[in-house]
Amino acid sequence: MAPLPVRRDLSRPLGLPPAQTDVRTLYTVLKADGFNPVGHEITGTTARLQIENLRYRSSSQAVGRAARIASRYFGDEITIFAIDLVEKNLPLTSVEISRESLVAYEFNLAPAKEFMDQVAFRDVKSLVSAPEEKSSFYWRIRPYFDYGLFDPDQPVRFEFGVALESEYVFSPSSFVEFGIHKQVIGNLDSIERDSDSVLPHVRSDHKHYHKQGDPGLEYLTLNYLTKPHATGYVRLTGGYLEKMYAGVSAEYLWQPTNQNWGLGIELNKVRQRDFDMRFGLRPYDVFTGHVSAYYDFGGRFEGQLDIGQYLAGDKGVTLSVNRVTSNGWRFGAWATLTDVPFETFGEGSFDKGLRVDIPLDWILGKSSPLVMQTPIQIIGRDGGARLHVNHRLYPLIQHAQRVDMGREWARFWR
Amino acid sequence: MIRRLIGVGLIMISVGCSSAKDRDTALSETVKAFVSQFKTPAPVDPRQVLTRAAIDAANIPLLLTEIPKIQSAGTLALLPGQRQQPDTWFGADGASFTLHKGVVVATRGLPFDLMFADSVPTIEALEKGGGRYDRTYKYLTGDNRDQIVTYQCRLQFQSVETVTIFEIRIETKRFSETCFNPDQSFTNIYWVDPAQVVHKSQQFLNFSLGYALTEKLL
C-alpha cells in the first residue's frame, strides 16, 4: 500500500489558521499502516513518536512511513520529528528528521546518502509513557520443521510438526512464554546410533529427546528486558530455556546506535533437562557464558566474535561472518575452536556451520517483517556447543542501528 | 514462479521465523498474503463501469490511470487537503500517483515504483510549446539502492485534437516528448488545453511497468 505523502503545505503561509496536532487520527492512521503507536511527547517544536513496527522488514521504510504520517497529523508548530523504534517495549533508536528535510527530499533526485546526512540518529533510554495495555496475551499455532544432516545411517533426517506458542506480557518489561512441539511426520526419532562422544553428552544425546519428547515442552521462560541507560540493554531469562537445558541466563549489551560495533556479555547457569522434555532435570549442570564483540563493516559484511565457556565446559572462541545484502538476505558461516582436541571432538574436528536469512518480503513482493533464519550445522557434536535462548539482545536490536538502516536508507521513501 | 516455489517451501518449513517483529499476527498475515498471490481476481475495467453521471455525482477530483503492461487500471481520488503541487492521488488498490501539473513525478504501492522524475523541464517546455532538455528519473533497485537515469528529451507540438473523456469533449494540443539515452528510449504524449491543464497523457514509468495512461475525469 502506498504511504501517505508528507504534508507540504503549512497553513500559516497560506493565510489559514495553523493546523493543530490530531493525536486520535495520528494513532488511527499509524495502526492502519502496520504500527503499534506506543506513545508520543511534544517538547517545544519537537514531536517524539514511539512506535512498534509490525509490518515492515526494513526499519528504514518503517521510519519513513511513520515520519510522513507524523508530518500530516502533528501541528504546524512542530519542526522536528523524532521517530523512536520500539521493540518489546525497549526504545532502540531515535531518528530525528526536520519537517523541512521531509518536504525537500520526498520528491527529489538527491541520492539516499545525502538525505541520510540530514537525519540524526540518537540513543534513547525509555518510553515517554507507560504502554496503554497493562497486560496482554498472545498465542499462535504454526507448523515447524527440524532436520538433521550427515547421520551415517541416514544422511538427511527431518521432522515436521505443529507448534503451539504463547506469550503473556504482565508488565512493560516482563513476560512469560512457552512453546510446545508435536511431531506429525518425520524420522528424527528413529536414530539408532548412540553417541560415542567422550565429552559430556551436552548435545549428542539428541536422539533421546526426539524419541521421548513428543509432545515436548520446547521452552517455558520468565523474561525481563530493560535498558539501564540509553546505550545499554539487559536481558534476564529463567526457566526451561530450550529443548535440552533449563536454568538462568543474564545478558548485557552495550551498543550505541551511531557506532558500528558493540560489546556484550552473557552468563548462564544451566542444568540438562530430562529426555521426555517435561519438567524433570538430569544431573549434568554447567556454567556457560561468553563475552561477545559485534562489528558491522558497514558495507556487505558483519562479524561477531564470542569468547567463553561452552556447554561441555570447554573454553574457546566462535567467529561468525555474514555477507549482508541491502534487501534483507544474510549468508553467513561460523566456526568454533575450543580447548577440546580435534580427535576428542570426533568427526568434523570442530563445530562449524552456515546460516541463511531469507526475507519473506522478497518472496512475497509484499510487506512482511518476517525473516526465515536457517542455521545449517554441518555436524553437531558436544564440543563448542552453545546454549539456545530466546530474545538474545543483538539480533533484537540490530535492525534499528544506524549502520544497518543505512544499508537500505533509500527504502525510506517506499 | 521460482519465488512462489521457494515461498511454498519456506512457508511450509517456517522454522526459525524471526520473532523480532511478529508479536502481532505477522505470520498468519504473511501466509494470507502469500496465498492471495495465487488468487487472480478478475480485473475490473473502470471504463466499463464508470459513467459521466457517476463522475459528476462524486463531485471530487478523480483521475483514471491505466498501466497496460500489467493490465492494471483504477480510478484515483485526490488526497484531500493538498494545497500545493505536487498532488498525490490514491486508488482503491492502495497505489498512488503523484503529479506535478499533470506530469507524473512518482508512484508508490506499485510492484516497481518510480521514486521520482523531475517534472519542471517538461512543464516549462509545455508552456513554451516545445523544447529540448534533460530529464532525470530515480528508481529503487532490487537491493534497495538508488538508480538515477538521465535522458535527453525533446518536446514537440503534434496536432490540435479534440479528446473525449467520458462524454466531455475538450479541445487540446497534443505534444510528444521523446526521451533517450545510449541504452533506452521512450515517448510520452500529453493532451493539454489552452490553460495548460493536462487532460490526458501517456507517460513512461519504468521498463518493468511501461507506460501509464492518465485521464483527468473531474
Side-chain angles (χ1 to χ4, degrees), chain B residues 84-162:
Chain B
Q84 288 179 5
Q85 293 278 327
D87 43 29
T88 299
W89 304 69
F90 275 82
D93 62 353
S96 76
F97 277 69
T98 300
L99 285 76
H100 182 198
K101 296 186 176 177
V103 178
V104 175
V105 296
T107 66
R108 295 292 185 271
L110 293 176
F112 186 60
D113 277 317
L114 169 63
M115 297 308 291
F116 180 66
D118 60 346
S119 53
V120 172
T122 303
I123 292 166
E124 288 177 352
L126 284 170
E127 286 169 359
K128 287 182 201 159
R132 292 175 186 271
Y133 46 85
D134 286 351
R135 280 196 79 183
T136 306
Y137 286 62
K138 184 163 83 169
Y139 302 109
L140 199 57
T141 62
D143 62 350
N144 292 316
R145 295 175 191 279
D146 292 320
Q147 183 184 32
I148 295 169
V149 186
T150 299
Y151 299 93
Q152 292 175 299
C153 298
R154 181 182 184 191
L155 186 89
Q156 287 177 294
F157 168 72
Q158 288 193 306
S159 59
V160 174
E161 264 189 39
T162 302

Side-chain angles (χ1 to χ4, degrees), chain A residues 243-291:
Chain A
K243 188 184 198 109
M244 299 187 195
Y245 289 91
V248 290
S249 172
E251 183 184 5
Y252 171 77
L253 171 67
W254 177 66
Q255 174 67 72
T257 190
N258 283 308
Q259 191 171 282
N260 65 340
W261 56 275
L263 294 173
I265 182 167
E266 180 184 294
L267 305 172
N268 313 289
K269 178 69 174 160
V270 296
R271 181 178 283 261
Q272 202 166 31
R273 291 178 62 187
D274 268 350
F275 297 144
D276 63 7
M277 291 176 67
R278 294 185 184 177
F279 300 105
L281 300 173
R282 295 172 55 78
Y284 182 75
D285 67 5
V286 67
F287 170 79
T288 174
H290 291 82
V291 174

Side-chain angles (χ1 to χ4, degrees), chain B residues 19-44:
Chain B
S19 60
K21 300 181 194 172
D22 65 352
R23 198 177 79 168
D24 204 31
T25 51
L27 184 63
S28 60
E29 290 299 316
T30 302
V31 173
K32 269 191 241 167
F34 183 75
V35 171
S36 72
Q37 286 191 117
F38 296 94
K39 297 177 184 167
T40 49
V44 176

Side-chain angles (χ1 to χ4, degrees), chain A residues 1-5 8-11 14 16 36 52-54 56-59 68 72 87-88 106-112 133 138 140 142-143 145 160 167 169 300 326-327 358 360 362-364 366 368-373 391 396 399 407-408 410-411 413-414, chain B residues 3-4 6-7 10-24 26-27 30 33-34 36-37 79-86 88 90 93-96 98 105-106 108-113 115-118 136-138 140 142-146 148:
Chain A
M1 200 167 81
L4 279 177
R8 318 176 72 79
D9 45 353
L10 297 185
S11 304
L14 299 170
L16 297 167
N36 174 27
E52 197 175 13
N53 163 30
L54 305 174
Y56 304 98
R57 178 197 53 75
S58 162
S59 296
R68 277 171 282 187
R72 299 197 74 80
E87 196 85 66
K88 291 204 171 294
E106 183 181 26
F107 301 118
N108 188 314
L109 290 170
E133 288 181 350
Y138 305 93
R140 70 178 186 189
R142 67 173 181 92
F145 181 75
F160 182 75
E167 177 183 320
V169 181
R300 302 192 180 279
S326 40
N327 54 10
I358 306 171
L360 256 70
W362 180 87
I363 299 287
L364 298 169
K366 292 183 180 180
S368 168
L370 297 181
V371 176
M372 314 292 295
Q373 296 173 337
H391 313 300
L396 189 71
H399 65 87
R407 277 196 185 90
E408 45 187 314
R411 211 172 165 80
W413 294 117
R414 276 303 297 270
Chain B
R3 285 188 186 195
R4 286 185 173 184
I6 296 172
L10 291 178
I11 293 289
M12 292 301 288
I13 58 160
S14 59
V15 57
C17 265
S18 164
S19 60
K21 300 181 194 172
D22 65 352
R23 198 177 79 168
D24 204 31
L27 184 63
T30 302
F34 183 75
S36 72
Q37 286 191 117
L79 184 71
Q82 300 179 100
R83 293 182 290 257
Q84 288 179 5
Q85 293 278 327
T88 299
F90 275 82
D93 62 353
S96 76
T98 300
V105 296
R108 295 292 185 271
L110 293 176
F112 186 60
D113 277 317
M115 297 308 291
F116 180 66
D118 60 346
T136 306
Y137 286 62
K138 184 163 83 169
L140 199 57
D143 62 350
N144 292 316
R145 295 175 191 279
D146 292 320
I148 295 169

